[in-house]
């Protein structure tokens, strides 16, 4: 595991180096031991300044990598050498780094055991070197302060590891959020393509089929169907350009009012046949694009698949919201499953806080959509 706080060892090495050199300057004076003391601290600083890959390899070979245990053992040996060359005794504080760094490699248990071992080792050194140290206040104080330093080092390592894990979880959560946002945007674009471009292409197909069927029987009706197809093509091009310009939320990007767009929609799908009727009641408070998309979906399905001879569109602007009903006298859905258009419409209504109800029988289909203000 990468250490979250790599600067702590370097700070301790620098403080001990300055303290040791100051002690040498005011005491025995600089010498070979002081030079070795400073050199070993510099070596420790270099050792802890780089990342050591966790793998096996030939020691000191070009491009070699080292196992954590080997690096840790080398650090412990260097710390022992520093302590041996330090007449001031300040370097014993560096041994708190052993449980601190062990926490990042082997975890809490090994760190606690190693910390207890360091405290016991210091007590053993006092026993060997200082007779009756256990009754001398300065050595008792040193041992207690060292034990406190070990505890604080382990606690700091635990906090650093938890913070690193929390950051990793946060990064994972943010990645999931970004993925979900991208998926939601893809679904939104797919709905837009189906509901706008798909609808107009369907309308163009219907009008061109009509123009072909009436080409030799009714030249005027055929020309009118071609004109309606051209209108649908222009309308599709306008909507594609609008989508490319905005690529933003669809909630309120609709026209200033839906009365005229709905009338145009019915007129161009009906083609003057009188098969489709539109009835609007109440006062529109604000345009609801989802209502227009629902009308597109319902009318396209009724015209394309139902075989209906009569299609009625009712829009009621009520106190709590708007209600759209598209009813036809066609053959119903039968055993056919709902397509992408209806699935996309349900998703639109869910995001808008509305509802969709579809009832189908052999005598016709009724699509009812409710949208709150």
């Amino acid at each position: 595991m990468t250490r979250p706080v790599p600067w702590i060892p370097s700070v301790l090495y620098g403080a001990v180096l300055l303290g040791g050199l100051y002690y040498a300057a005011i005491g025995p004076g600089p010498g070979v031991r002081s030079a070795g003391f400073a050199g070993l601290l510099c070596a420790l600083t270099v050792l802890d300044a780089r990342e050591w890959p966790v793998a096996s390899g030939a020691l000191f070979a070009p491009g070699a990598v080292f196992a954590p245990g080997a690096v840790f053992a080398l650090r412990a040996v260097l710390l022992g050498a520093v302590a041996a060359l330090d007449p001031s005794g300040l370097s014993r504080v560096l041994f708190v780094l052993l449980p601190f760094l062990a926490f990042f490699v082997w975890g809490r248990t090994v760190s606690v055991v190693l910390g207890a071992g360091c405290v016991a080792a210091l007590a053993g050194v006092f026993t060997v070197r200082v007779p009756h140290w256990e009754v001398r206040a300065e050595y008792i104080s040193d041992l207690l302060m060292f034990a406190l330093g070990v505890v604080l080092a382990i606690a700091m390592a635990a906090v650093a590891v938890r913070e690193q894990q929390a950051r990793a979880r946060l990064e994972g959560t943010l990645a999931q959020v970004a993925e979900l946002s991208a998926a939601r945007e893809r679904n939104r674009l797919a709905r837009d393509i189906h509901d706008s471009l798909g609808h107009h292409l369907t309308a163009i197909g219907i009008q061109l089929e009509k123009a072909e069927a009436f080409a030799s029987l009714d030249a005027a009706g055929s020309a009118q169907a071609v004109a309606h197809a051209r209108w649908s093509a222009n309308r599709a091009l306008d909507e594609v350009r609008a989508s490319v310009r905005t690529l933003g939320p669809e909630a309120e990007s609709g026209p200033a009012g839906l009365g005229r767009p709905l009338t145009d929609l019915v007129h161009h799908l009906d083609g003057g046949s009188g098969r489709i009727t539109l009835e609007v009641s109440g006062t529109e408070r604000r345009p609801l694009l989802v209502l227009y998309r629902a009308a597109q979906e319902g009318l396209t399905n009724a015209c394309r698949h139902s075989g209906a001879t009569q299609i009625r569109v009712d829009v009621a602007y009520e106190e709590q919201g708007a209600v759209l009903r598209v009813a036809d006298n066609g053959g119903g859905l039968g055993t056919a499953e709902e397509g992408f258009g209806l699935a996309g419409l349900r998703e639109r209504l869910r995001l808008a806080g509305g509802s969709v109800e579809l009832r189908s029988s052999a005598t016709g289909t009724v699509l009812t959509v409710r949208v709150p203000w």
Side-chain angles (χ1 to χ4, degrees), residues 269-337:
L269 282 178
D270 182 60
S273 66
R275 183 174 58 154
I276 304 175
T277 58
L278 171 65
E279 183 72 27
V280 179
S281 61
T283 302
E284 182 180 5
R285 294 188 182 182
R286 61 183 177 88
L288 297 168
L289 180 59
V290 66
L291 205 68
Y292 182 80
R293 296 303 188 199
Q296 278 185 320
E297 180 65 24
L299 285 172
T300 299
N301 288 338
C303 293
R304 187 72 171 175
H305 306 296
S306 71
T309 58
Q310 294 294 324
I311 303 171
R312 180 177 177 84
V313 181
D314 292 292
V315 179
Y317 296 112
E318 301 175 347
E319 185 67 23
Q320 300 300 323
V323 180
L324 167 77
R325 176 187 294 166
V326 180
D328 65 64
N329 63 350
L333 295 176
T335 60
E337 296 182 357

Side-chain angles (χ1 to χ4, degrees), residues 12 17 35 41 86-87 135 189 206 225-226 243 251 327:
L12 284 179
L17 176 61
L41 283 175
D86 178 21
V135 296
L189 291 174
I206 292 174
V226 171
S243 297

Side-chain angles (χ1 to χ4, degrees), residues 304-371:
R304 187 72 171 175
H305 306 296
S306 71
T309 58
Q310 294 294 324
I311 303 171
R312 180 177 177 84
V313 181
D314 292 292
V315 179
Y317 296 112
E318 301 175 347
E319 185 67 23
Q320 300 300 323
V323 180
L324 167 77
R325 176 187 294 166
V326 180
D328 65 64
N329 63 350
L333 295 176
T335 60
E337 296 182 357
E338 292 187 6
F340 179 81
L342 283 174
L345 180 60
R346 291 187 187 279
E347 177 65 12
R348 285 181 186 273
L349 267 297
R350 184 187 69 81
L351 295 175
S355 63
V356 180
E357 180 185 352
L358 182 65
R359 293 188 291 105
S360 181
S361 67
T363 59
T365 301
V366 179
L367 173 70
T368 304
V369 170
R370 301 179 185 276
V371 189

Side-chain angles (χ1 to χ4, degrees), residues 23-315:
Y23 179 85
I26 64 175
V32 176
R33 293 186 63 180
S34 298
F37 167 76
L40 289 175
L41 283 175
C42 291
L44 280 166
T45 302
V46 173
L47 178 69
D48 283 310
R50 61 172 296 181
E51 294 290 337
W52 298 95
V54 178
S56 59
L59 195 63
F60 303 124
V65 292
F66 303 88
V71 177
F72 195 84
L74 177 59
R75 182 184 292 111
V77 170
L78 291 176
L79 286 175
V82 169
L85 294 175
D86 178 21
S88 68
L90 295 174
S91 57
R92 72 170 65 106
V93 71
L94 295 179
F95 284 91
V96 302
L97 291 175
L98 294 181
F100 175 76
L101 297 175
F103 198 108
F104 302 113
V105 181
W106 296 294
R108 182 190 305 273
T109 302
V110 173
S111 176
V112 170
V113 171
L114 190 56
C118 288
V119 175
L122 181 59
V125 171
F126 286 168
T127 302
V128 172
R129 292 187 177 182
V130 184
H132 307 294
W133 69 272
E134 65 275 5
V135 296
R136 298 175 61 175
E138 64 271 23
Y139 288 98
I140 297 294
S141 175
D142 285 350
L143 184 63
L144 290 177
M145 292 301 294
F146 181 77
L148 179 60
V150 168
V151 171
L152 291 177
I154 294 174
M156 183 182 297
V159 171
V161 168
R162 284 198 296 268
E163 190 258 345
Q164 187 182 49
Q165 292 172 344
R167 185 182 295 113
R169 287 194 297 269
L170 177 60
E171 290 175 354
T173 301
L174 291 177
Q176 291 179 351
V177 170
E179 184 178 351
L180 290 174
S181 298
R184 181 177 178 180
E185 183 64 12
R186 286 194 299 269
N187 291 336
R188 187 187 72 81
L189 291 174
R191 291 196 305 270
D192 281 345
I193 291 172
H194 177 275
D195 293 345
S196 60
L197 189 59
H199 160 76
H200 290 300
L201 289 176
T202 300
I204 290 171
I206 292 174
Q207 296 298 334
L208 290 180
E209 287 176 2
K210 180 180 177 181
E212 183 180 15
F214 286 90
S216 58
L217 301 176
D218 186 357
S222 177
Q224 186 182 40
V226 171
H228 290 164
R230 184 180 298 111
W231 178 90
S232 294
N234 292 333
R235 182 72 177 176
L237 184 59
D238 290 341
E239 293 193 9
V240 168
R241 286 171 176 169
S243 297
V244 171
R245 280 195 307 268
T246 59
L247 285 179
E250 62 173 336
E252 298 304 329
S253 59
L258 291 182
R260 182 171 180 180
L262 284 175
T263 302
D264 288 345
L265 178 66
V266 168
H267 174 72
H268 287 281
L269 282 178
D270 182 60
S273 66
R275 183 174 58 154
I276 304 175
T277 58
L278 171 65
E279 183 72 27
V280 179
S281 61
T283 302
E284 182 180 5
R285 294 188 182 182
R286 61 183 177 88
L288 297 168
L289 180 59
V290 66
L291 205 68
Y292 182 80
R293 296 303 188 199
Q296 278 185 320
E297 180 65 24
L299 285 172
T300 299
N301 288 338
C303 293
R304 187 72 171 175
H305 306 296
S306 71
T309 58
Q310 294 294 324
I311 303 171
R312 180 177 177 84
V313 181
D314 292 292
V315 179

